Amino acid sequence: MMRYDRPVIGLAFCLSGLAGFVDALGFLSLGGFFVSFMSGNTTRFAIELAGRHAGGILLAATILGLFVLGVVGGSLAGHFAGRQRKAAVLAFLTLALLISAGLDAIGFGMAGAGVLAMAMGAENSVFQRDGEVTIGLTYMTGTLVKMGQRIAGALLGGPKLAFLRHFVLWLGLLSGAIAGAIAHGRIGLDAIWLAAAAAAVFTLVAL
């Protein structure tokens, strides 16, 4: 993350906010399952397996599968787009969000919420170098670890403000999740249309 310039970090902040917004919508609509935080869903999957709850097992497994499918789709879109890989991945993300919103609009709200996981999987392919994700946009554990390491480095005489980039990324997810929770309380899953519109704008920015 330290290799990127400020405009790219700004885009990462916005995309992290979008991830928080979408994750809040999914969490509130799926009864405590996430659409971007797969560590949490893996724990839920294990709990459902231990309790032999067929419905929970199916839901958790479906979300995990859709997330991985989104990563595959986003990675392939970026690979074949060449120099416009960021825009291609964001276009794939936008399409997934539109599909999700469309499913909800025709009465398949649970399916629409599930497709949000595919969108979030794709989003993690935006920042990639040599086949590896360089900025994780939908999960903050690694970001907080790196922030803590930068703070420790500052205390030992290193750069004083190096932790700020990681803090900004975490703040983006937090802000987006707050906005998503508010939007869900007012218009429900219709808020996915707002997320799709934002993703379309970010696609244009990437171009």
Side-chain angles (χ1 to χ4, degrees):
M1 187 171 176
M2 303 306 293
R3 299 179 183 179
Y4 292 102
D5 57 18
R6 289 184 180 180
V8 175
I9 296 300
L11 178 61
F13 170 81
C14 293
L15 292 174
S16 184
L18 177 63
F21 186 92
V22 171
D23 203 29
L25 296 181
F27 183 84
L28 292 170
S29 301
L30 293 170
F33 286 87
F34 300 93
V35 295
S36 70
F37 180 49
M38 294 303 116
S39 295
N41 283 341
T42 300
T43 301
R44 282 295 304 267
F45 185 41
I47 292 171
E48 300 299 333
L49 283 170
R52 300 179 183 178
H53 303 139
I57 292 169
L58 179 61
L59 181 56
T62 299
I63 293 172
L64 288 165
L66 285 170
F67 184 87
V68 173
L69 182 62
V71 174
V72 173
S75 297
L76 290 176
H79 173 77
F80 290 113
R83 295 177 62 183
Q84 292 292 348
R85 64 170 315 282
K86 286 186 179 65
V89 175
L90 289 171
F92 184 92
L93 164 66
T94 303
L95 177 61
L97 289 172
L98 288 172
I99 291 172
S100 175
L103 286 170
D104 177 64
I106 61 176
F108 295 97
M110 284 292 287
V115 173
L116 291 177
M118 185 171 72
M120 293 297 93
E123 185 172 331
N124 281 291
S125 299
V126 173
F127 296 102
Q128 188 171 300
R129 182 178 288 140
D130 298 327
E132 297 294 330
V133 173
T134 53
I135 302 179
L137 296 170
T138 71
Y139 44 89
M140 289 296 118
T141 301
T143 297
L144 291 174
V145 168
K146 290 176 182 177
M147 185 175 77
Q149 291 172 334
R150 300 295 181 189
I151 293 173
L155 294 173
L156 294 172
K160 302 301 182 185
L161 301 178
F163 74 94
L164 281 177
R165 291 191 170 201
H166 304 290
F167 175 73
V168 164
L169 199 62
W170 173 81
L171 189 63
L173 190 81
L174 174 66
S175 303
I178 292 172
I182 293 172
H184 185 274
R186 299 199 175 174
I187 59 176
L189 283 182
D190 283 343
I192 300 173
W193 292 108
L194 299 177
V201 170
F202 298 148
T203 302
L204 295 176
V205 170
L207 284 171

